[in-house]
Amino acid sequence: MNLTLYLTENCNLRCSYCTREKHAQDMSRETVEKAVELAFSRGKNAGICFFGGEPLLKKDLIYYALELADERSRQTGIPFLSKITTNGTLIDEEFASMAKRANMQIGFSFDGTMQDDCRRTKEGGATFDLMVDKARLLMEHGCDTVAMCVASPEACGKLFESVKLVHDLGFPQMIINPAYGDKVTWTDETFEVLRGQFDQIADYMMELYQKGDKFKVAPLHNKISELIKGINPSKYCHLGIRQLAVSWDGNLYPCTSFLDKPEWYLGSVYEGIDETRRLEMAKRCFTPSPCKDCDLSARCTNSCGCANILNTGSPDMIAPVQCEYERMVISLADRLGDEMYAMGDQRFIDFMGL
């Protein structure tokens, strides 16, 4: 089964849009051991994603977990996959080499030229130059890395140039998410800036496509692929089924957005999973009432309980800005998809991996 290990509540950055409070609370080696046991206890595959806080503050626990998982994989024959979501500032040669050997998938949180607007050290220091160096290090090692970008209202006017920078650094893919949560306020004016930036990004994606470049940006290319394959993105979530989050103290929750919320507690790595609560949670429908009759409901992430909690405090209520964002990217994805397909169906099929 797949687990996300929340290794620490601590972080060396103070991102302006981050909703988690920082505390010096770290996962113990014993909890790591129990989590690895749980990951291999059911299913045909085992997966662990290292998360935080900043997980690389606890490199010793990452290396320990990988050692345990590799040994258990050899013993059981169960395939093991590792991932990490990191702010990237603590990546070094040792980690990059290890990640390449382990085929670890790296989510590299980098806001491009927006980096210093929102993602500074706890002392207030800039991080952009450091992050460019870390990105180049990962590319040199050939690590399986995707750039993960957050567009905030105060900095989103730089989103297009950030996409170009990420492409030029050699990343094969970039994921863009708007900043959500109680520390963020989108206005009509800032959202229009975001819309203009996405217009330019869609044009840039078409320009790259014409040149045979394989670079992709989510959510644009994802929306195209999901439509063709008949995938409903609102079904991705499956709270408590696809994966579980393990808090620093070993408690289990359906997602990292629900950590420390008693009503979402699903057991612990020490006592096991509360299967009754888990199944009850999985049966719940989180599609907001206003979305059920929407023509775009099957193409929208409206039922993502995590995003909804960040925006509205409720897993089944969607914020107006989230709705407007989904409408915008779906429209742009459809335009981009039509333009790419018009250049030839086989080329389009190959590019999209269909």
Side-chain angles (χ1 to χ4, degrees):
M1 69 180 303
N2 296 312
L3 299 176
T4 297
L5 304 193
Y6 205 87
L7 296 182
T8 178
E9 290 279 3
N10 209 352
C11 186
N12 60 328
L13 297 189
R14 292 297 181 268
C15 302
S16 61
Y17 44 69
C18 183
T19 59
R20 293 291 297 184
E21 295 298 324
K22 311 301 183 293
H23 305 288
Q25 294 173 316
D26 303 329
M27 188 173 286
S28 68
R29 287 171 68 90
E30 183 183 6
T31 300
V32 169
E33 292 167 4
K34 292 294 185 180
V36 172
E37 288 179 14
L38 181 61
F40 281 88
S41 67
R42 58 183 70 193
K44 297 179 180 179
N45 299 281
I48 288 179
C49 177
F50 301 104
F51 202 77
E54 173 44 47
L56 288 181
L57 287 170
K58 304 304 296 179
K59 286 180 185 175
D60 59 322
L61 292 183
I62 294 174
Y63 295 152
Y64 184 50
L66 292 176
E67 178 185 337
L68 294 174
D70 286 343
E71 181 179 356
R72 185 60 65 91
S73 181
R74 287 193 298 271
Q75 293 173 345
T76 62
I78 296 175
F80 172 71
L81 174 67
S82 63
K83 301 179 180 181
I84 188 170
T85 299
T86 172
N87 66 36
T89 58
L90 301 176
I91 289 173
D92 54 20
E93 286 279 353
E94 179 187 18
F95 176 80
S97 297
M98 179 281 299
K100 177 62 177 177
R101 290 195 306 272
N103 295 317
M104 177 183 284
Q105 297 177 4
I106 301 173
F108 184 75
S109 296
F110 178 43
D111 290 353
T113 58
M114 305 178 289
Q115 181 78 12
D116 288 342
D117 291 275
C118 302
R119 300 180 67 82
R120 290 181 169 267
T121 67
K122 59 184 179 182
E123 295 81 18
T127 58
F128 173 78
D129 290 340
L130 175 65
M131 289 297 288
V132 170
D133 289 342
K134 301 300 184 182
R136 288 174 175 153
L137 177 63
L138 291 174
M139 296 301 102
E140 289 168 3
H141 281 268
C143 295
D144 183 1
T145 310
V146 57
M148 302 173 66
C149 168
V150 176
S152 65
E154 62 266 37
C156 67
K158 302 177 184 177
L159 181 58
F160 171 53
E161 64 184 46
S162 297
V163 172
K164 293 180 69 176
L165 171 65
V166 167
H167 167 267
D168 292 346
L169 284 170
F171 287 90
Q173 183 180 1
M174 181 178 186
I175 298 173
I176 302 172
N177 285 303
Y180 290 138
D182 56 10
K183 295 184 178 180
V184 176
T185 301
W186 287 95
T187 64
D188 290 343
E189 291 75 16
T190 54
F191 193 84
E192 283 308 306
V193 173
L194 181 67
R195 188 190 304 275
Q197 293 291 297
F198 262 99
D199 272 328
Q200 293 183 71
I201 292 167
D203 290 340
Y204 180 57
M205 291 300 99
M206 188 59 197
E207 178 185 328
L208 293 179
Y209 180 75
Q210 291 171 331
K211 295 177 180 178
D213 197 307
K214 300 295 185 180
F215 182 69
K216 293 184 175 69
V217 168
L220 295 179
H221 292 99
N222 293 48
K223 294 292 186 185
I224 297 170
S225 177
E226 289 161 356
L227 176 63
I228 295 170
K229 296 178 180 179
I231 297 173
N232 185 338
S234 68
K235 305 300 182 184
Y236 283 152
C237 202
H238 297 298
L239 281 176
I241 298 298
R242 292 185 64 200
Q243 67 172 10
L244 292 174
V246 185
S247 64
W248 66 272
D249 57 1
N251 288 337
L252 299 171
Y253 299 90
C255 176
T256 56
S257 294
F258 298 85
L259 294 178
D260 305 324
K261 298 181 184 297
E263 65 271 29
W264 298 96
Y265 174 78
L266 288 176
S268 77
V269 295
Y270 295 96
E271 300 172 358
I273 302 171
D274 187 329
E275 291 293 353
T276 300
R277 285 180 58 82
R278 187 187 189 196
L279 291 175
E280 288 175 354
M281 199 173 295
K283 292 177 183 178
R284 289 182 59 179
C285 175
F286 292 109
T287 301
S289 297
C291 302
K292 292 180 180 178
D293 296 323
C294 176
D295 291 341
L296 298 177
S297 62
R299 300 189 61 195
C300 175
T301 58
N302 56 68
S303 64
C304 175
C306 310
N308 291 344
I309 274 193
L310 280 175
N311 287 317
T312 66
S314 171
D316 51 8
M317 289 180 63
I318 191 170
V321 66
Q322 188 180 348
C323 177
E324 191 64 22
Y325 175 75
E326 287 287 328
R327 289 180 177 277
M328 175 187 71
V329 296
I330 289 171
S331 175
L332 286 172
D334 288 352
R335 187 192 87 191
L336 177 60
D338 288 344
E339 291 175 356
M340 291 194 298
Y341 186 77
M343 290 189 64
D345 53 0
Q346 190 57 53
R347 178 177 181 175
F348 178 76
I349 290 169
D350 293 342
F351 178 81
M352 296 302 300
L354 301 175

